[in-house]
Amino acid sequence: MGDPMIEHAHALVELVNYETLADSHGEQSLALVAAEFVSRLKSIRRAGDALLEIAPNQYCLVLRGVKQRQHINLAMEKLYRELAHPVDVLGEQIPLVVRSGIALPSANLTQSKQMLSCAQSALRHAKRRDRPHVIFSSSDAAAVRQDPNLSVRFQEALDMGEFVSYFQPKVTAAYGTLVGAEALVRWHDAKLKKVVLPGQFIEQLEQSGLIFPLTLHLLKSAIARCADWPEPLHVAVNVPPKLLTEEFLVTAIGDALAIADLDPARLTIEITERGQMPKQSIRVLRNLSKLGVQIAIDDFGTGESSLVQFRNIPADTIKLDRIFVQGAVTSKKDRAIVHSVVELARRCQMQVVAEGVEDAKTADLMKELGCDWLQGYWFGKPMPNDEFVKKHIGALPRSAAVDHVAALLDS
Ligand code: C2E
Ligand code: CA
Ligand code: CA
């Protein structure tokens, strides 16, 4: 007999701000928020759906008969609508911040235990990729390897220049002066006639092996764009951990910098630490560092990183994950974490970038806590290069651009 549970989608929903609530609002408020969270999850169930408690802040919704992405997307929209209103605790409005990992039924999954473990894996991806939810489907993961069409489609898209970098401004915390931008890939899918976000394809590209040519393409174009921006603005490019084992990366980056005649110090490589980094990767990072390229540790504090790893990585910058940045406004513990990371960075002569700054209050707090640079929707969303230049660089008259650079050198 098959396990009937595996016919249905499993959505593992986690209340992200649970950990910090006890510190910021006390145990009693925590219990009220947790109870409201469960009651709202219950309210979205249809007949035959189940709700399983995995942890006090983690529940698994088993959605009967949901097998397709379109249907799960509808279910998630309903969930977000239901959780959208904050919880009123003694007059204070506490938001329900959630993240979900979803497993869809597939022929490879024969036990509900496996479904749950896939949903857990998807939840980890959602955390890493900073997405509200990620759908795991083992048939998808296998499909990229097995379905030559998808790899062909990626290759075509690469050849047709459909992968382009958008740029998101980074500014000084002290004066809000532009210091550079992070390059974030977008797929201008000509067939679907839409712009696809990286969360929907990066992982599949990593599995297909095409991530290497894509990253090289993005590195070269970002370096070329930055060479056209006024000095000393820098560009930061995300490089997946898998690529760091390739010594060839050092030569390729060195060549691209030489061709564009860009000072290596104006390029930052953003890396995420996931688990133990192989010795080879540390060697590649050291060689990049010797070249003068800056290294930033992305999503700091969210991976399975250790201090030994931190000690071995020749990093110049720490990028504080937005979970702490946004949490710091309401949580004492998050503020303490930001403060300690800033202190750690100071002692190691590193810079700190606070990510995900969405409002003035967070920006002011990050400045107060000693972060050097800020990034987030408050200062600008990721945008095409032309728009970035127009809005953030080009709008300045030439003399102002020179003053701006001089101010930067002074700061
Ligand atoms: P990341 O490197 O941590 O990038 C930051 C993500 O947060 C971006 O999402 C950005 O649009 C978003 N973001 C920026 N400011 C705010 C804010 O104030 N609030 C909120 N809620 N979000 C903000 P995006 O562009 O969808 O990228 C998601 C992830 O995909 C990136 O996370 C990175 O891990 C990966 N990625 C993006 N571009 C590339 C790339 O060129 N190569 C590789 N390998 N990975 C990339
Ligand atoms: Ca990044
Ligand atoms: Ca990040």
Side-chain angles (χ1 to χ4, degrees), residues 337-349 352 369-370:
I337 292 173
V338 175
H339 186 79
S340 313
V341 172
V342 168
E343 186 64 20
L344 175 70
R346 285 283 163 281
R347 289 175 187 261
C348 299
Q349 278 91 48
V352 178
L369 288 172

Side-chain angles (χ1 to χ4, degrees), residues 182 238 270 298 319:
E182 176 175 4
N238 293 283
E270 291 195 6
D298 207 353
K319 289 196 85 178

Side-chain angles (χ1 to χ4, degrees), residues 104-345:
L104 288 175
S106 108
N108 306 337
L109 301 174
T110 53
Q111 292 173 350
S112 62
K113 211 167 62 185
Q114 287 175 319
M115 290 286 283
L116 192 57
S117 117
C118 290
Q120 272 159 343
S121 155
L123 184 61
R124 281 195 295 276
H125 285 301
K127 276 185 202 164
R128 262 186 230 142
R129 304 226 172 267
D130 202 7
R131 313 299 313 167
H133 67 259
V134 164
I135 303 175
F136 179 96
S137 153
S138 64
S139 54
D140 262 9
V144 183
R145 271 175 259 121
Q146 285 159 11
D147 174 8
N149 292 334
L150 198 50
S151 294
V152 168
R153 181 69 198 101
F154 281 147
Q155 184 68 62
E156 258 174 28
L158 199 55
D159 295 343
M160 300 305 290
E162 290 180 15
F163 293 108
V164 292
S165 282
Y166 277 32
F167 296 93
Q168 185 179 32
K170 262 189 232 175
V171 304
T172 61
Y175 302 109
T177 318
L178 185 72
V179 283
E182 176 175 4
L184 292 156
V185 69
R186 299 291 180 261
W187 179 4
H188 284 211
D189 192 326
K191 285 206 173 127
L192 297 179
K193 294 197 175 59
K194 66 172 191 174
V195 178
V196 189
L197 290 171
Q200 292 176 37
F201 61 85
I202 280 285
E203 221 165 300
Q204 293 178 330
L205 264 166
E206 282 189 16
Q207 283 155 4
S208 77
L210 286 170
I211 191 73
F212 202 168
L214 172 73
T215 308
L216 287 184
H217 161 73
L218 295 172
L219 271 162
K220 282 182 198 160
S221 66
I223 287 172
R225 297 280 181 251
C226 183
D228 281 340
W229 301 343
E231 279 182 57
L233 294 183
H234 78 266
V235 71
V237 180
N238 293 283
V239 174
K242 198 171 159 182
L243 256 72
L244 292 174
T245 52
E246 306 282 343
E247 195 61 50
F248 172 66
L249 189 71
V250 184
T251 330
I253 290 180
D255 289 349
L257 287 165
I259 290 168
D261 194 19
L262 186 76
D263 177 356
R266 292 178 63 194
L267 173 69
T268 299
I269 297 297
E270 291 195 6
I271 55 159
T272 37
E273 328 158 75
R274 287 180 207 155
Q276 196 55 43
M277 211 178 249
K279 276 202 185 102
Q280 243 169 312
S281 303
I282 304 284
R283 199 166 49 231
V284 167
L285 286 173
R286 292 215 172 114
N287 287 337
L288 282 171
S289 185
K290 269 189 218 154
L291 209 65
V293 171
Q294 302 286 295
I295 315 282
I297 304 178
D298 207 353
D299 308 330
F300 189 80
T302 62
E304 300 144 42
S305 47
S306 66
L307 284 174
V308 173
Q309 175 114 307
F310 175 75
R311 167 177 163 263
N312 289 339
I313 297 177
D316 309 277
T317 302
I318 290 177
K319 289 196 85 178
L320 249 177
D321 193 79
R322 82 173 153 111
I323 195 152
F324 306 116
V325 173
Q326 296 178 348
V329 177
T330 50
S331 148
K332 252 197 250 163
K333 204 170 197 173
D334 281 345
R335 276 198 294 281
I337 292 173
V338 175
H339 186 79
S340 313
V341 172
V342 168
E343 186 64 20
L344 175 70

